[in-house]
Amino acid sequence: MYKYDDYYEDHLRKKIQKLKYAIDTKDSDMYELIGSIRDVFSSPYISTPIVSPNLVKELWILLTKVFIYSDTYDNKFDAIFAMDNIYLYSRRQNIKLCLKDLEKWREKHNKNNTTEEILECVDDILI
């Protein structure tokens, strides 16, 4: 069994707690929080698992909530940008993520009710 990096596991567990709080309080500025999560997964050269698959799935679910339910464009954009990095990591590590909510969101959105930037990120994940 592979031993995950304790630093990243602990770091992301703390971020998950903060993200849950930010979601509950409808925080309008999650830039630093989401950015610190995204940074962990941003390198395309990560070749070994750095955190457990369950932690990746938990982050995915929380960021999906931010993306779909936040009223703040910046939070939506930061969330989908982080999700794109996490999705790439999950594919390299053979971690299956649930895309159902993202697919439903995409069916209801186009250039008339969101931005091209967001649509590109969502489409990159779904294609």
Side-chain angles (χ1 to χ4, degrees):
M1 182 169 205
Y2 187 84
K3 173 84 169 106
Y4 303 106
D5 189 310
D6 288 337
Y7 171 78
Y8 287 120
E9 282 279 322
D10 293 342
H11 172 73
L12 290 175
R13 291 244 172 257
K14 290 174 187 169
K15 297 300 177 182
I16 284 171
Q17 293 308 313
K18 290 180 181 180
L19 188 57
K20 286 178 178 179
Y21 180 77
I23 291 168
D24 289 346
T25 61
K26 299 187 185 301
D27 191 345
S28 63
D29 183 10
M30 297 183 198
Y31 175 76
E32 286 185 31
L33 176 58
I34 294 172
S36 65
I37 293 168
R38 183 187 68 239
D39 289 347
V40 173
F41 299 97
S42 64
S43 174
Y45 304 108
I46 301 171
S47 60
T48 59
I50 55 173
V51 294
S52 67
N54 287 340
L55 188 112
V56 173
K57 290 175 183 179
E58 188 173 355
L59 280 168
W60 181 262
I61 291 166
L62 289 173
L63 288 169
T64 300
K65 284 181 182 179
V66 172
F67 174 70
I68 291 174
Y69 299 111
S70 180
D71 294 330
T72 307
Y73 174 81
D74 290 340
N75 287 345
K76 281 184 170 308
F77 181 77
D78 293 338
I80 197 64
F81 193 59
M83 290 169 69
D84 190 35
N85 287 329
I86 291 170
Y87 183 71
L88 291 174
Y89 170 83
S90 72
R91 288 191 52 185
R92 288 190 304 271
Q93 301 303 319
N94 294 314
I95 300 169
K96 275 221 171 252
L97 298 175
C98 181
L99 302 177
K100 203 177 303 181
D101 290 337
L102 201 56
E103 289 168 345
K104 287 179 187 175
W105 181 92
R106 183 59 178 99
E107 288 172 6
K108 297 176 185 174
H109 292 83
N110 57 44
K111 292 177 187 172
N112 295 325
N113 56 9
T114 192
T115 66
E116 184 115 8
E117 295 171 311
I118 286 181
L119 289 174
E120 284 179 22
C121 284
V122 171
D123 289 343
D124 284 348
I125 293 168
L126 295 177
I127 293 177

